[in-house]
Amino acid sequence: MAERPTLAPEKVSDAVKSQIAGFHRAVVDEVAAAVGRDRVVVVGMAQNPFVKKARSLLDREGVKHTYLEYGSYLSKWKERLAIKLWAGFPTFPMVFVDGVLEGGYAELVKLRDQGRLKPQP
């Protein structure tokens, strides 16, 4: 599996590392806590049709999930950017299953088709 390219840590100043670490940290901590606590977490934004499709698919499959919403196309873009930097995934929704970022809506469909989306007992 290929690793995503990132700037080598020694090429990032301590000041920048500190800035990144604190960038909308409360939002990142909120998402991380939900991912660590809940079996399925969907992170999304208002008005995004793929977020709505992902949530509907989970509902139809009877999969309980936590939904965290951060703004819309016109608001809270910095908060969403902080989540993207943390997760390393460029789009919404972000779907986490058992603490693992599985991807977005297309990947969720694949999980369903593979029989890997099961309702909780």
Side-chain angles (χ1 to χ4, degrees):
M1 175 178 359
E3 291 291 320
R4 70 183 172 108
T6 58
L7 193 57
E10 66 273 9
K11 299 294 184 181
V12 180
S13 74
D14 289 342
V16 170
K17 287 177 186 175
S18 178
Q19 184 178 5
I20 292 169
F23 187 66
H24 292 280
R25 183 61 182 261
V27 170
V28 172
D29 288 346
E30 180 178 43
V31 173
V35 169
R37 177 188 65 234
D38 301 332
R39 179 173 172 259
V40 178
V41 177
V42 177
V43 181
M45 56 186 280
Q47 302 172 325
N48 183 310
F50 291 98
V51 172
K52 291 177 185 174
K53 288 180 179 185
R55 296 182 68 206
S56 292
L57 186 153
L58 291 168
D59 288 342
R60 284 191 312 274
E61 295 296 316
V63 177
K64 181 182 171 194
H65 61 281
T66 298
Y67 176 59
L68 301 173
E69 182 174 279
Y70 297 98
S72 66
Y73 287 104
L74 301 176
S75 67
K76 296 193 178 184
W77 65 270
K78 286 184 180 181
E79 289 86 342
R80 290 193 309 278
L81 176 58
I83 298 165
K84 290 177 180 183
L85 289 168
W86 170 75
F89 193 69
T91 61
F92 291 97
M94 290 183 191
V95 180
F96 296 84
V97 179
D98 295 325
V100 175
L101 174 58
E102 293 290 349
Y105 174 70
E107 292 79 15
L108 187 62
V109 169
K110 289 176 187 174
L111 289 176
R112 182 205 56 204
D113 293 347
Q114 295 166 353
R116 294 180 49 206
L117 275 184
K118 304 285 184 197
Q120 288 178 281

